[in-house]
Amino acid sequence: MSTPNDAALSWRDLESRTGLDALPAFHRAFLTWRGVPDVQAMPLRRVSQRVEAELNRMAQAGEATREPGEDQDDWHVNAETLAPFLAGQGLT
């Protein structure tokens, strides 16, 4: 996995491992795990925006860092922070 250190996970790599067909459910599960209400009723575009917002909140809390990329930004999220979520998704 592409990470700046052993304690961080690339969000874009996790999305790639999830696969395109499963990505909306993965994003909704992430938002539910983060405590965002009414995720199942949100339009897909709003879900994507909220994922970005939650990743930004994690960066502000010191749980992630935002890394600029050629095509798109990535977040490197603390592995311990994501461990409970990833275990529930079968991505550990």
Side-chain angles (χ1 to χ4, degrees):
M1 195 178 296
S2 172
T3 61
N5 61 54
D6 291 338
L9 302 172
S10 163
W11 184 257
R12 297 296 178 222
D13 188 40
L14 290 171
E15 288 179 323
S16 295
R17 288 173 48 199
T18 299
L20 188 58
D21 290 340
L23 200 53
F26 176 76
H27 284 165
R28 288 180 195 280
F30 172 72
L31 292 176
T32 298
W33 176 74
R34 291 287 294 172
V36 176
D38 300 322
V39 173
Q40 296 305 318
M42 280 184 196
L44 191 54
R45 181 180 176 109
R46 183 72 179 126
V47 168
S48 295
Q49 292 169 341
R50 283 303 302 257
V51 167
E52 299 282 325
E54 288 302 315
L55 290 167
N56 279 320
R57 283 186 184 90
M58 293 175 86
Q60 291 170 351
E63 299 171 331
T65 57
R66 191 171 189 163
E67 304 291 331
E70 291 179 21
D71 295 331
Q72 59 187 345
D73 290 341
D74 192 5
W75 287 263
H76 292 117
V77 184
N78 181 297
E80 285 185 29
T81 300
L82 276 183
F85 169 68
L86 295 178
Q89 299 301 303
L91 291 172
T92 55

